[in-house]
Amino acid sequence: MGRREAHRVKDVKTGRIYPAKAAAGRDLAHLVAGDPKDNFVWFKIARTFPERFLVEDEHGDWVTLDDASAPVGTLYVREDAPHQRSESGTRLTTLEVDERKLEMVKTALGTRTLRDTVDRAFDEVLVRAARAETVERLKTMDGLDLDKRSVMEKAWR
């Protein structure tokens, strides 16, 4: 597994810039009564104080945590806890991704972010499955009235 690039975090309240989210989490764990050794304490801090932090995007600009240009892997601040489903049925997860495949799929689907690419890929698979199901129903006429003469006579009037 390749080494991940750290994303700098800026604490707007103090003006301090942390070299990575983990460093911010270690230093600020006390804000949420968290354990500085917990690798995920940063996410609890970000959910509790979303307006307090900015993250550096690929152009070197400071953006909010939920900004579209925020680096992949930056938590989109939600009310639900990590690894739990939200009311909308989504969940936060960790996933190892083949970057070359991701770039090819982004190009094929016309998407920009990992999240959009995965969502669009899921949509494509669901559409393909629905088409296959429809074709199978047409082959077997299962649940369709298209093989009934009385129905078809009315259809061509």
Side-chain angles (χ1 to χ4, degrees), residues 9 21 25 27 36 53 60 67 83 91 108 117 122 132 138 146 148:
V9 173
K21 292 176 280 189
D27 196 51
F53 300 98
D67 189 272
H83 309 296
R91 69 176 166 150
T117 304
F122 282 4
L138 286 169
L146 299 176
K148 295 183 181 170

Side-chain angles (χ1 to χ4, degrees), residues 10 27 39 48 62 67 69 85 96 100 117 140 143 152:
K10 182 175 186 178
D27 196 51
N39 290 331
T48 306
W62 292 106
D67 189 272
S69 69
R85 295 188 190 285
E96 189 172 323
R100 290 180 301 188
T117 304
T140 62
M152 293 310 292

Side-chain angles (χ1 to χ4, degrees), residues 30-44:
H30 67 278
L31 295 175
V32 293
D35 180 359
K37 295 176 185 173
D38 179 359
N39 290 331
F40 296 100
V41 73
W42 158 254
F43 299 112
K44 187 174 182 183

Side-chain angles (χ1 to χ4, degrees), residues 124-140:
E124 293 287 331
V125 169
L126 293 173
V127 165
R128 177 186 234 176
R131 284 184 185 138
E133 183 180 318
T134 300
V135 167
E136 189 58 34
R137 284 185 71 199
L138 286 169
K139 283 180 183 177
T140 62

Side-chain angles (χ1 to χ4, degrees), residues 12-143:
V12 175
K13 184 174 180 181
T14 65
R16 182 163 179 193
I17 296 174
Y18 295 92
K21 292 176 280 189
R26 283 190 299 274
D27 196 51
L28 301 171
H30 67 278
L31 295 175
V32 293
D35 180 359
K37 295 176 185 173
D38 179 359
N39 290 331
F40 296 100
V41 73
W42 158 254
F43 299 112
K44 187 174 182 183
I45 295 166
R47 280 193 318 279
T48 306
F49 305 102
E51 69 288 337
R52 181 169 171 167
F53 300 98
L54 300 175
V55 66
E56 193 173 31
D57 70 8
E58 65 183 23
H59 304 295
D61 297 322
W62 292 106
V63 297
T64 59
L65 302 177
D66 62 350
D67 189 272
S69 69
V72 172
T74 299
L75 176 66
Y76 180 87
V77 180
R78 297 185 179 108
E79 295 303 315
D80 58 325
H83 309 296
Q84 292 181 348
R85 295 188 190 285
S86 71
E87 290 177 21
S88 68
T90 62
R91 69 176 166 150
L92 178 64
T93 187
T94 302
L95 181 68
E96 189 172 323
V97 176
D98 181 323
E99 291 292 333
R100 290 180 301 188
K101 278 186 186 177
L102 173 61
E103 289 307 313
M104 291 187 297
V105 173
K106 283 166 65 173
T107 300
L109 295 175
T111 55
R112 291 182 349 141
T113 66
L114 173 62
R115 185 178 184 164
D116 288 343
T117 304
V118 170
D119 191 48
R120 187 73 164 290
F122 282 4
D123 289 345
E124 293 287 331
V125 169
L126 293 173
V127 165
R128 177 186 234 176
R131 284 184 185 138
E133 183 180 318
T134 300
V135 167
E136 189 58 34
R137 284 185 71 199
L138 286 169
K139 283 180 183 177
T140 62
M141 299 305 252
D142 182 37

